[in-house]
Amino acid sequence: MNHPSTAVVEAPAPLDTTALLATARQAAAAQMAAEVATLVAVADWADAHTEGTVGDPVGPLGLWHENPQAVPGGDRFLELGGPGAPLVSEFCLYEISAALGRSVASGRPLVGDAIELRHRLPRLYSRVLAGADPATQKRALPVWRARKIAALTRSLPAEGADFVDRNLAPVAHRATMPTVERLVAEAIARFDPENAELDRADADAGRYFTVETTPVDAASPWAGVVPVHGTLDLADALDLQNAVQRVAADLAAAGCDADHDVRRSMAVGELARRQTALDLGGVDPASGAPSNVAPADSTRTPARAVVLYVHLSDTAITAHRSGPGIDPATGATGIDLARLENTRSLITADQVRDWCRAPGTKIVVKPVIDLAEHVAVDAYEIPDRIAERVRLDWPACAFPYCGRPARGLDLDHIEPYRSNAAPGAGQTSTDNLAPLCRGHHRVKTHPSPTGTSPPGSGPPDRRWRYQHDRLGTYTWTSPHGLRYAVDPTGTTPID
């Protein structure tokens, strides 16, 4: 009898963990060198687009320098570093950001940090440059740490920045951030005592309360929950804590069996819906004592209407009567989803139904718009029916690496509007409009006078240009000829 042969599987060779560590360290060294090279290139780029210097005191990051000869809406020079640092062209930020695959919101701080380090923290900058050579990287200042220091020193006067640079440079590669923060605080007290006195007052101005509109879990955006965070006055925070705790306890007493943290989150929603007016107390006219009862003619501010743009399919609307619909992609039944235009996230149709059942909710149903329909007019002004189609067809800014929601942005004529065009040209159309942020609209419309053009090429027309093809792709060309393709999936460098 023949017996089937048995294959012999050899055990994998044991991993050389020492070699793995060596490989990881080599990769980290190469990454540090690359980050240094990027920072130097950004600093060089900024220095090629500078004019004048930042005055004292310095304002918020990106404060622009007034130039009475500048074209309205054109390029302008920004204060990206502290006092004594050069002013930097605003339009140059858009090109370097795109070249690095960043939004301008991410590129602007990078340029500011590079300027701050090179021009106001030269000792720390030299410690950063040591990271380019693997032989000196052990005592080099990592770029990420140098940028954190630069962000802290930007508001210091020149003498204060030099004080931090002198004292921190020898130990910067191993100093903790609390140590850096204490040194900066000392520099403020030594060289800017007036601001030190104002810091306490400024803390009040730094209070904020933010409700993030992006989903808390990118893997499950339909969950319908978002993060909330803020910085409050201590007394206000304690009052809020007590109010949330009290309403959470009321929910438990009413039979809510959710755990404590969930009830606290529900309590915030209850407070937001029910406590929408200020009960401004006055004085009891009979006794003269303070009263918590608002006067009859007191002004109450109603809750602001929150508008949600929700896109639902017909099956999602009727599914509660006939059960879940059939997913055309899988052929199976499943949950029905809706798209929330405000946050560009998915939510379940059941979540929409819960929102609609809330007392006081106003529901407006709009007809389906055929986005394939071409609509055009001759006027420069954009009618609502065209603007709505453009924003629904392209729900975000069309500039490279920008993802700001289109609703509320400028609508730009891709081919510039010509006032002398023949009647019937239909220049304002669904095919010739794109949503752009105001800054991106400006860099497309106005040339920048900064920088140099190739020899023999004549005066530069340094502006961004773009085209839109029938496949739905925007092809952008930067002032220096770099090209980017923007489609519904994101941005791809072409060359």
Side-chain angles (χ1 to χ4, degrees):
M1 177 180 290
N2 294 327
H3 296 281
S5 60
T6 302
V8 177
V9 179
E10 295 183 0
L15 295 176
D16 185 349
T17 53
T18 301
L20 292 177
L21 287 175
T23 300
R25 294 185 67 180
Q26 290 173 1
Q31 180 180 1
M32 175 177 276
E35 290 174 348
V36 172
T38 300
L39 186 73
V40 172
V42 169
D44 290 340
W45 171 267
D47 282 343
H49 299 82
T50 59
E51 177 182 283
T53 57
V54 177
D56 194 0
V58 67
L61 180 65
L63 185 68
W64 60 281
H65 177 67
E66 184 68 52
N67 181 359
Q69 298 180 345
V71 177
D75 195 9
R76 54 193 181 184
F77 290 87
L78 306 179
E79 297 180 354
L80 299 182
L87 299 166
V88 181
S89 159
E90 181 190 11
F91 281 10
C92 87
L93 301 179
Y94 292 91
E95 190 160 10
I96 190 64
S97 298
L100 295 175
R102 295 169 174 257
S103 68
V104 71
S106 172
R108 183 191 300 251
L110 175 60
V111 175
D113 294 342
I115 285 289
E116 177 77 4
L117 285 164
R118 173 175 283 185
H119 293 274
R120 303 215 320 145
L121 305 170
R123 301 174 185 86
L124 290 171
Y125 186 66
S126 66
R127 295 295 307 276
V128 173
L129 298 182
D133 184 357
T136 57
Q137 283 183 346
K138 287 185 177 181
R139 292 183 55 82
L141 177 61
V143 171
W144 69 267
R145 188 185 293 270
R147 291 192 59 191
K148 284 183 175 290
I149 296 171
L152 291 172
T153 62
R154 185 182 166 276
S155 62
L156 292 174
E159 298 83 357
D162 181 69
F163 173 82
V164 173
D165 190 37
R166 238 178 324 107
N167 287 276
L168 192 57
V171 295
H173 62 293
R174 59 176 181 268
T176 64
M177 288 312 299
T179 300
V180 175
E181 291 167 355
R182 286 193 294 270
L183 187 61
V184 171
E186 181 182 350
I188 294 175
R190 285 174 177 266
F191 301 98
D192 200 2
E194 292 183 1
N195 278 338
E197 289 293 328
L198 292 173
D199 277 349
R200 186 168 177 270
D202 289 343
D204 285 342
R207 292 174 294 178
Y208 75 97
F209 188 80
T210 298
V211 178
E212 300 287 355
T213 57
T214 53
V216 67
D217 185 357
S220 302
W222 51 82
V225 294
V226 295
V228 178
H229 55 88
T231 299
L232 307 179
D233 176 84
L234 178 58
D236 292 341
L238 293 175
D239 286 340
L240 179 61
Q241 167 79 356
N242 292 335
V244 170
Q245 192 70 15
R246 184 177 65 253
V247 177
D250 291 343
L251 289 172
C256 179
D257 59 357
D259 66 33
H260 182 64
D261 285 338
V262 173
R263 282 188 285 109
R264 284 172 57 85
S265 70
M266 295 169 63
V268 175
E270 290 296 327
L271 290 170
R273 284 186 289 272
R274 309 305 177 195
Q275 301 296 324
T276 58
L278 292 176
D279 294 326
L280 299 176
V283 177
D284 188 330
S287 64
S291 171
N292 290 328
V293 179
D297 59 348
S298 62
T299 301
R300 290 172 178 256
T301 303
R304 176 179 295 179
V306 179
V307 180
L308 300 178
Y309 297 93
V310 181
H311 299 263
L312 289 160
S313 67
D314 55 349
T315 56
I317 296 173
T318 60
H320 70 287
R321 296 194 300 267
S322 58
I326 302 297
D327 188 335
T330 64
T333 59
I335 61 174
D336 292 299
L337 299 177
R339 181 170 65 85
L340 191 59
E341 184 183 327
N342 305 57
T343 59
R344 292 169 294 158
S345 59
L346 293 175
I347 54 176
T348 64
D350 287 337
Q351 177 71 66
V352 178
R353 293 189 192 99
D354 290 342
W355 287 339
C356 292
R357 292 190 188 108
T361 300
K362 180 181 179 181
I363 303 172
V364 178
V365 179
K366 291 189 175 182
V368 174
I369 297 177
D370 182 5
L371 298 182
E373 181 183 5
H374 175 78
V375 183
V377 296
D378 287 341
Y380 178 80
E381 291 75 17
I382 304 169
D384 290 344
R385 68 182 187 277
I386 292 181
E388 185 71 7
R389 281 173 165 83
V390 172
R391 292 190 171 106
L392 290 175
D393 185 54
W394 197 274
C397 176
F399 195 82
Y401 300 106
C402 186
R404 186 171 297 177
R407 197 165 292 277
L409 301 187
D410 294 347
L411 294 181
D412 175 55
H413 288 78
I414 300 173
E415 291 295 330
Y417 185 87
R418 293 176 291 108
S419 58
N420 60 350
Q427 298 180 82
T428 299
S429 71
T430 51
D431 293 338
N432 192 41
L433 292 171
L436 293 179
C437 300
R438 180 58 56 86
H440 298 148
H441 193 175
R442 290 174 48 236
V443 297
K444 178 261 181 180
T445 304
H446 300 283
S448 172
T450 60
T452 59
S453 57
S457 62
D461 185 11
R462 309 181 65 82
R463 74 180 79 202
W464 287 81
R465 304 179 185 278
Y466 70 128
Q467 297 176 328
H468 188 212
D469 63 30
R470 295 184 178 274
L471 298 179
T473 299
Y474 292 96
T475 302
W476 285 85
T477 303
S478 80
H480 282 74
L482 301 181
R483 296 191 301 152
Y484 307 87
V486 182
D487 62 25
T489 64
T491 302
T492 304
I494 297 176
D495 46 26

